[in-house]
Amino acid sequence: MYEWIAKVTADRQACERWARRCGLLPRSVMAALCRMAALLLYAGSGLRRKVQGNMKELLPERTAQQIRKVGFRYTENVVFALYEILLESHRLPGSEKWRFRTEGEAHLEEALRLGRGAIVYTPHAGNFFYYYWYLCQKYSCLTVATGGSPELRPLYLKFRDMGCPGLDYDNMPPLELLRKLRKHLQAGGVVFLLGDFWRPTFPLARFFGRMTRTPEGASTLSIEQRVPIIPFSGWREHGWVHRMRFEAPLYMSSSFTKATRTEATNVLNRFMERVIRERPEQWFYWFNAEERWETEQGDGAGAHTEQERRKTHTA
């Protein structure tokens, strides 16, 4: 998947030329072309086998026929999202009313009135770049990105140029990153955190009932600073239209302490698991989900292959 994305993002000037050309076509035509590209990608590469294998492992309640259907719709969403980001994102300003349909945003506004800022917490689903752009238009918003992947870096740079700031996890010392996030929250800002990042150095946690490693930044900030966490999910409702759902705030400091932040992180992981199970075709990481699971041995720390240790598990 990363190799395929690299081919798309390698030439920024070519992307700009294609954006101008595609802008001349009706959106219905571009939607048909994206579906055709998704079909060719899914049928003509090893992606189908990898995606279906991971779905069978994590979604045992789904039939083989359902897995095949969801697998293609997953590829379709990836193609649509890349087209949106690389070739159509210049149309975002002024298109919020028809492109984004929101529910529960009052939960975020209510949380912000407490004066402690708020964390909007979500997995990599739908078109998470677009959801962050939406938040940046309405709130003082900050996110944490991972610039270590050369394939995905052009996507981050494009949205940075569109006024969507981000802190680079790969190139910023952890303490400095936390300090900047704390300062932003103390000023009443919104922090958009994608909780399903994976690194071999992250703390152990549970996800889909398996041992893995996920970041604890959201639970740490919420517990230490009493910052409300807004569980958020976004998905492609149809075509170019997205639905965004904000849920009731979680106040982790009322149930957890610094010593039990792993349990708090597992609560957040269960939320992400629910979101993914509801709409599995929207989750980005089906193409390499198998690389994030620990081999549970003895203390549960497991063993990692060299492939797992590479800094390519970013988005």
Side-chain angles (χ1 to χ4, degrees), residues 131-200:
Y131 310 147
Y132 183 53
W133 179 89
Y134 174 89
L135 289 170
C136 286
Q137 307 314 298
K138 302 186 68 174
Y139 309 96
S140 173
C141 203
L142 189 61
T143 193
V144 177
T146 57
S149 169
E151 301 91 347
L152 296 174
R153 186 171 179 79
L155 308 185
Y156 291 119
L157 293 177
K158 186 176 183 66
F159 272 73
R160 184 197 65 184
D161 294 343
M162 293 173 62
C164 301
L167 304 178
D168 189 344
Y169 174 84
D170 289 319
N171 295 299
M172 182 175 291
L175 291 179
E176 182 182 356
L177 188 146
L178 274 175
R179 181 181 62 80
K180 289 181 178 293
L181 291 177
R182 288 191 183 104
K183 184 177 180 180
H184 185 74
L185 290 166
Q186 289 166 358
V190 173
V191 171
F192 183 71
L193 290 182
L194 296 141
D196 54 346
F197 278 119
W198 181 93
R199 286 287 190 277

Side-chain angles (χ1 to χ4, degrees), residues 70-272:
V70 171
F72 170 69
R73 290 180 63 193
Y74 158 79
T75 310
E76 185 178 84
N77 181 64
V78 171
V79 172
F80 267 72
L82 282 174
Y83 172 78
E84 285 174 329
I85 295 166
L86 290 170
L87 302 181
E88 210 202 27
S89 54
H90 67 280
R91 294 184 178 183
L92 276 174
S95 66
E96 297 95 326
K97 289 185 179 180
W98 70 263
R99 192 183 297 271
F100 299 114
R101 299 176 180 177
T102 64
E103 56 184 83
E105 192 170 352
H107 289 307
L108 174 57
E109 295 167 352
E110 176 188 351
L112 288 172
R113 284 195 285 270
L114 296 175
R116 302 170 191 156
I119 296 170
V120 175
Y121 192 86
T122 187
H124 287 78
N127 186 339
F128 41 93
F129 283 92
Y130 267 28
Y131 310 147
Y132 183 53
W133 179 89
Y134 174 89
L135 289 170
C136 286
Q137 307 314 298
K138 302 186 68 174
Y139 309 96
S140 173
C141 203
L142 189 61
T143 193
V144 177
T146 57
S149 169
E151 301 91 347
L152 296 174
R153 186 171 179 79
L155 308 185
Y156 291 119
L157 293 177
K158 186 176 183 66
F159 272 73
R160 184 197 65 184
D161 294 343
M162 293 173 62
C164 301
L167 304 178
D168 189 344
Y169 174 84
D170 289 319
N171 295 299
M172 182 175 291
L175 291 179
E176 182 182 356
L177 188 146
L178 274 175
R179 181 181 62 80
K180 289 181 178 293
L181 291 177
R182 288 191 183 104
K183 184 177 180 180
H184 185 74
L185 290 166
Q186 289 166 358
V190 173
V191 171
F192 183 71
L193 290 182
L194 296 141
D196 54 346
F197 278 119
W198 181 93
R199 286 287 190 277
T201 55
F202 282 162
L204 284 167
R206 282 203 169 269
F207 191 34
F208 280 95
R210 302 177 179 215
M211 293 303 297
T212 186
R213 294 179 181 270
T214 53
E216 288 187 342
S219 56
T220 297
L221 290 166
S222 182
I223 292 169
E224 291 182 354
Q225 296 189 216
R226 297 187 298 158
V227 176
I229 294 179
I230 309 298
F232 170 85
S233 55
W235 63 93
R236 187 180 307 281
E237 198 165 55
H238 60 82
W240 312 111
V241 177
H242 292 264
R243 174 76 65 172
M244 298 186 296
R245 182 176 66 196
F246 300 82
E247 300 188 14
L250 299 176
Y251 298 93
M252 312 303 282
S253 60
S254 64
S255 302
F256 302 96
T257 66
K258 186 176 180 180
T260 58
R261 62 185 174 186
T262 298
E263 287 83 353
T265 298
N266 286 337
V267 169
L268 296 176
N269 285 354
R270 286 196 292 273
F271 158 72
M272 292 194 296

Side-chain angles (χ1 to χ4, degrees), residues 290-310:
E290 80 286 352
E291 297 177 1
R292 64 175 57 217
W293 311 121
E294 295 282 322
T295 303
E296 299 185 52
Q297 298 174 345
D299 61 1
H304 297 280
T305 65
E306 183 62 27
Q307 182 185 27
E308 290 170 322
R309 295 187 182 278
R310 292 182 306 165

